[in-house]
Amino acid sequence: SQTIHQWPATLVQPVGSPLSLECTVEGTSNPNLYWYRQAAGRGLQLLFYSVGIGQISSEVPQNLSASRPQDRQFILSSKKLLLSDSGFYLCAWSPFNAYGYTFGSGTRLTVV
Amino acid sequence: SQELEQSPQSLIVQEGKNLTINCTSSKTLYGLYWYKQKYGEGLIFLMMLQKGGEEKSHEKITAKLDEKKQQSSLHITASQPSHAGIYLCGADGGYNNNDMRFGAGTRLTVKP
């Protein structure tokens, strides 16, 4: 069966520090991968999605970047965190040729 | 992009009462998903609707997609405190559109 792992669950980082959130999927190949952020009043906001290794589509220009170094690994990064980067980040995957999304358990990031 | 409007934004009901949450799209929905989220946790998949007029039920929760595939409703019968949380509708952009959009969510509180 397929599983998705996201870590860490919680993170407190100072302003200006770097960020790296990791998401991995098991039990499937060539998944579509997504990073979402939960913004107050806007529900979930799509940040990045990837349909393959090295392929990243950005939805919102901001202080964050994403990378997909391996087929089932998706990383969300920042070189210098801002206070406004605080929030709840969710990773998700979907099959490349079918419907259906599965979400990770999320990371609560607090920038102080 | 597919914009989704959810209503109401928040809902407080007495235990045992029925309730309905609505999700309206500006475009035809290829896939409509309902999720539940407890604060700070990942999303729990409830149901997915694809066909116009489709209706699915799970325990005391029923979701419907209208014939025009632009509106969905989530109905909870005889609500319980365990139903409390945030309900999110998500819309698939279509088979070749690799992302999903979400409504802002409905916060449900069930008073015992």
Side-chain angles (χ1 to χ4, degrees):
Chain A
S1 62
Q2 301 92 355
T3 56
I4 180 169
H5 301 280
Q6 188 181 340
W7 67 93
T10 59
L11 191 60
V12 180
Q13 292 283 96
V15 170
S17 65
L19 172 73
S20 181
L21 302 181
E22 189 163 343
C23 174
T24 58
V25 181
E26 296 177 357
T28 187
S29 297
N30 197 25
N32 294 331
L33 296 172
Y34 311 82
W35 278 111
Y36 287 91
R37 177 168 60 195
Q38 187 153 32
R42 295 185 61 186
L44 285 175
Q45 181 184 32
L46 178 64
L47 301 176
F48 302 95
Y49 69 88
S50 171
V51 298
I53 295 174
Q55 299 180 55
I56 308 293
S57 295
S58 175
E59 290 292 305
V60 183
Q62 55 198 331
N63 188 42
L64 302 170
S65 62
S67 61
R68 185 170 178 173
Q70 300 181 43
D71 181 44
R72 290 169 291 175
Q73 184 184 28
F74 205 24
I75 298 172
L76 183 69
S77 305
S78 174
K79 291 182 179 179
K80 290 185 178 181
L81 284 169
L82 305 172
L83 287 174
S84 57
D85 291 324
S86 294
F88 189 63
Y89 291 82
L90 278 166
C91 177
W93 77 274
S94 68
F96 78 97
N97 61 348
Y99 293 102
Y101 292 80
T102 305
F103 289 84
S105 55
T107 296
R108 178 155 299 281
L109 171 65
T110 304
V111 182
V112 296
Chain B
S1 64
Q2 181 119 43
E3 297 299 328
L4 292 177
E5 287 193 12
Q6 250 184 272
S7 62
Q9 289 185 336
S10 65
L11 194 54
I12 302 174
V13 299
Q14 202 68 37
E15 183 177 356
K17 296 294 185 182
N18 304 335
L19 64 106
T20 300
I21 300 169
N22 294 302
C23 178
T24 302
S25 169
S26 57
K27 298 180 180 180
T28 300
L29 298 163
Y30 291 95
L32 189 285
Y33 302 75
W34 282 102
Y35 291 90
K36 179 185 174 183
Q37 183 184 24
K38 292 196 174 181
Y39 181 73
E41 299 180 6
L43 295 174
I44 300 169
F45 172 76
L46 296 176
M47 277 169 279
M48 177 194 170
L49 305 167
Q50 279 185 281
K51 300 176 183 177
E54 187 175 8
E55 179 176 320
K56 288 186 178 178
S57 293
H58 176 68
E59 297 180 345
K60 294 184 178 181
I61 301 177
T62 301
K64 300 178 185 179
L65 182 62
D66 74 340
E67 290 289 345
K68 292 184 178 180
K69 296 174 65 175
Q70 285 189 286
Q71 186 169 11
S72 178
S73 60
L74 186 80
H75 185 77
I76 298 178
T77 304
S79 58
Q80 301 170 358
S82 60
H83 287 128
I86 298 174
Y87 289 81
L88 284 158
C89 65
D92 198 295
Y95 189 81
N96 293 318
N97 189 352
N98 297 303
D99 66 61
M100 188 158 74
R101 311 287 167 164
F102 292 88
T106 296
R107 184 179 295 276
L108 172 64
T109 303
V110 180
K111 290 188 172 182

